[in-house]
Amino acid sequence: MGAGGRGWDWGSLLLLLLLAASCTGRNVLLLIADDAGFESQVYNNTAIKTPNLDALAQRSLLFQNAFTSVSSCSPSRAAILSGLPQHQNGMYGLHQDVHHFDSFDQVWSLPHLLSQSGIYTGIIGKKHVGPEAVYPFDFAYTEENSSVLQVGRNITRIKLLVRKFLQSRQDRPFFLYVAFHDPHRCGHSQPQYGVFCEKFGNGESGMGYISDWKPLYYSSEQVKVPDFIPDTPAARADIAAQYTTISRLDQGIGLVLEELRGAGLENDTLVIYSSDNGIPFPNGRTNLYRSGMAEPMLVSSPWHQQRWGQVSQAFASLLDITPTILDWFSISYPNYSIFGNKIVKLTGKSLLPVLVSEQPWATVFSSQNHHEVTMYYPMRSIQQQDFHLIHNLNFKMPFPIDQDFYISPTFQDLLNRTKSGQPTHWFKTLHQYYYRDRWELFDQRKDPAETQNLVSDPKYREIFQQLKTQLLAWQWDTHDPWVCAPDGVLEEKLNPQCWPLYNEL
Ligand SMILES: *[C@@H]1O[C@H](CO)[C@@H](O)[C@H](O)[C@H]1NC(C)=O
Ligand SMILES: *[C@@H]1O[C@H](CO)[C@@H](O)[C@H](O)[C@H]1NC(C)=O
Ligand SMILES: *[C@@H]1O[C@H](CO)[C@@H](O)[C@H](O)[C@H]1NC(C)=O
Ligand SMILES: *[C@@H]1O[C@H](CO)[C@@H](O)[C@H](O)[C@H]1NC(C)=O
Ligand SMILES: *[C@@H]1O[C@H](CO)[C@@H](O)[C@H](O)[C@H]1NC(C)=O
Ligand SMILES: *[C@@H]1O[C@H](CO)[C@@H](O)[C@H](O)[C@H]1NC(C)=O
């Protein structure tokens, strides 16, 4: 365009628009609960009261088919913050203490990428990933320098930290990750506060006081027992305690959103709510069954009000969180490699299009290797529409049990009942739970509880082959070192391929 003309030249117009976009300050608040599931009113559980999640849902699109990529805390958080499955980012199991897992030093994480683009980053609550150089935050109050009970469960403290973060951002766009420790179990680490820490801060003698929390109590008769949990008095009491802890999570979410509103930021902040993995009950956390993988998910964008209050059937993965947030900030993913010269590509997608109109997304992938260091039980899975295929690579081993879940009243009761030959009121036996087939294929429309393995049913041969092919293709795309297991060896030099072992599998 000629200089001196009255019209705008497109270059300056674009620049102005970009400046305007950066001045409006598009922020992100990511709320991740710890081991939360569908125990909320927004998912039609009528036994529990969660008014704050309800209020958020009115400003959100609610996902009915959201899934974690791995049913374990640190691996899931690393996948959320890197967009890469555990076998690609290196966080194979739990990060802390003797477990000591870390992501690879080369990984470009979400906080790192955002920080490079001038976005102020903060984390409040449970971090549980490392190393620090891969997951850096400008503002950090986590178990690494505070008590996890304080930064993860004391909602008054969390509220004050959110306020401090918002004050310290100095008008920069921000990414704030509030990682609640509720409603995680606690019988393993802090039993004095109850099995779900449901007494922490309730004002009773020795429990301390959380002034912003009005605990809600439930009787064993009131709770809804999900169909994958034994319906026993022990499990019902366990769930009632979990509900009380969820009341602290729910009120904490209300306080955090109130801080956002009070700071005048609710109309330019994307809010995402989800959880890291399945609930800590039999068939839940540490499993890739639907009961261990399905997650609550609310996405609230002030710029996309057209679908507020609606329910989406589109499949979403926690691997989509990184691409979604990068898309929100218009930041592109770098070209780099972790293993050799293989370029890393995100296999997740931005969820922003579904906030405008329903999308046909119907596939998610998952990958699990460990929970605790001793719990090596590699699994890979694909869910597509009604079908769910799980590959249990080391299927000849018993499925491992974690310490926290082992001592839970529900599991102790299940063990006792099994040992003494009493009815377990469970939909499978312990033997079935421990010993799994190599391939498990379920038709969720006909069998939502995933009880019937269809893998050897000739009617499903074609769908089995199709899913297997897609799962393997995803494993190659994500540079999965386990891609040839358990019946082959991956020879990577020259032309990477699987060589047969003739090990009778
Ligand atoms: C809850 O139930 C209502 C009424 O049956 C239904 O329209 C809605 O989709 C359900 N929500 C979820 C999350 O399942
Ligand atoms: C935790 O680290 C942050 C820096 O991110 C620092 O500002 C804060 O004072 C530390 N908190 C504690 C309790 O050490
Ligand atoms: C929660 O945090 C507030 C503010 O820091 C503090 O006054 C209160 O004692 C804490 N409650 C518990 C149970 O630790
Ligand atoms: C956000 O928008 C709503 C309505 O669109 C308005 O009532 C509210 O005051 C706005 N909040 C701020 C902080 O601007
Ligand atoms: C990414 O980097 C590789 C190796 O450095 C290069 O061959 C490739 O062309 C780059 N791709 C893009 C899209 O920049
Ligand atoms: C299970 O049995 C043990 C030993 O008999 C007993 O101490 C424990 O209370 C029982 N637990 C449950 C949940 O029934």
Side-chain angles (χ1 to χ4, degrees), residues 69-378:
S69 69
V70 48
S71 196
S72 173
C73 183
S74 302
S76 178
R77 285 157 200 270
I80 290 170
L81 293 177
S82 69
L84 305 174
Q86 59 88 26
H87 61 250
Q88 193 173 20
N89 75 55
M91 183 69 72
Y92 300 137
L94 298 179
H95 169 69
Q96 85 284 14
D97 304 337
V98 295
H99 315 297
H100 205 58
F101 289 98
D102 264 318
S103 284
F104 299 122
D105 296 336
Q106 296 86 343
V107 170
W108 281 81
S109 75
L110 181 65
H112 195 171
L113 288 166
L114 297 180
S115 180
Q116 285 219 324
S117 296
I119 290 151
Y120 183 53
T121 62
I123 175 170
I124 297 167
K126 182 171 179 179
K127 187 171 183 194
H128 218 197
V129 292
E132 172 66 23
V134 170
Y135 300 103
F137 286 89
D138 299 320
F139 177 102
Y141 287 81
T142 71
E143 77 280 5
E144 290 176 356
N145 74 1
S146 312
S147 136
V148 73
L149 285 180
Q150 291 303 326
V151 296
R153 300 198 198 246
N154 181 345
I155 58 177
T156 297
R157 177 113 174 96
I158 293 169
K159 170 188 85 174
L160 297 173
L161 286 172
V162 169
R163 190 174 298 170
K164 187 176 161 115
F165 172 82
L166 294 177
Q167 282 163 359
S168 63
R169 76 187 184 100
Q170 297 168 326
D171 292 330
R172 277 171 289 177
F174 67 82
F175 166 61
L176 175 60
Y177 171 31
V178 179
F180 292 94
H181 192 23
D182 284 329
H184 195 280
R185 284 188 180 278
C186 180
H188 169 61
S189 53
Q190 312 270 357
Q192 69 274 27
Y193 295 121
V195 290
F196 275 90
C197 268
E198 70 278 7
K199 297 178 187 157
F200 172 65
N202 72 2
E204 284 170 20
S205 147
M207 298 299 142
Y209 185 53
I210 298 173
S211 56
D212 286 293
W213 181 37
K214 319 268 167 303
L216 301 180
Y217 298 101
Y218 299 86
S219 69
S220 293
E221 294 74 44
Q222 277 175 304
V223 303
K224 275 198 173 174
V225 182
D227 59 7
F228 56 89
I229 298 179
D231 192 348
T232 58
R236 283 179 167 270
D238 217 7
I239 296 169
Q242 181 205 27
Y243 279 19
T244 296
T245 296
I246 291 170
S247 79
R248 192 168 52 214
L249 167 72
D250 178 68
Q251 292 169 36
I253 288 169
L255 293 170
V256 171
L257 294 175
E258 190 51 46
E259 288 303 312
L260 198 67
R261 206 168 298 129
L265 294 163
E266 69 170 334
N267 292 342
D268 44 22
T269 302
L270 176 74
V271 180
I272 301 175
Y273 165 74
S274 193
S275 168
D276 56 349
N277 48 243
I279 62 175
F281 284 88
N283 232 59
R285 188 182 66 194
T286 76
N287 285 276
L288 292 189
Y289 295 124
R290 190 182 173 102
S291 44
M293 271 182 66
E295 300 300 340
M297 187 186 271
L298 301 176
V299 179
S300 172
S301 162
W303 312 115
H304 301 87
Q305 302 195 5
Q306 54 272 57
R307 299 205 66 197
W308 278 10
Q310 293 185 18
V311 175
S312 174
Q313 305 299 329
F315 278 35
S317 163
L318 298 189
L319 290 174
D320 299 339
I321 289 183
T322 283
T324 302
I325 295 175
L326 290 178
D327 188 18
W328 176 262
F329 286 116
S330 303
I331 294 171
S332 53
Y333 193 69
N335 185 15
Y336 75 105
S337 66
I338 297 173
F339 301 126
N341 55 9
K342 289 183 274 185
I343 302 297
V344 176
K345 290 207 181 65
L346 296 177
T347 57
K349 60 193 176 287
S350 168
L351 294 174
L352 299 184
V354 77
L355 304 184
V356 178
S357 60
E358 187 65 354
Q359 301 293 318
W361 302 328
T363 307
V364 291
F365 296 96
S366 305
S367 162
Q368 176 132 355
N369 276 15
H370 285 267
H371 181 63
E372 292 166 8
V373 65
T374 54
M375 292 172 64
Y376 182 60
Y377 196 84

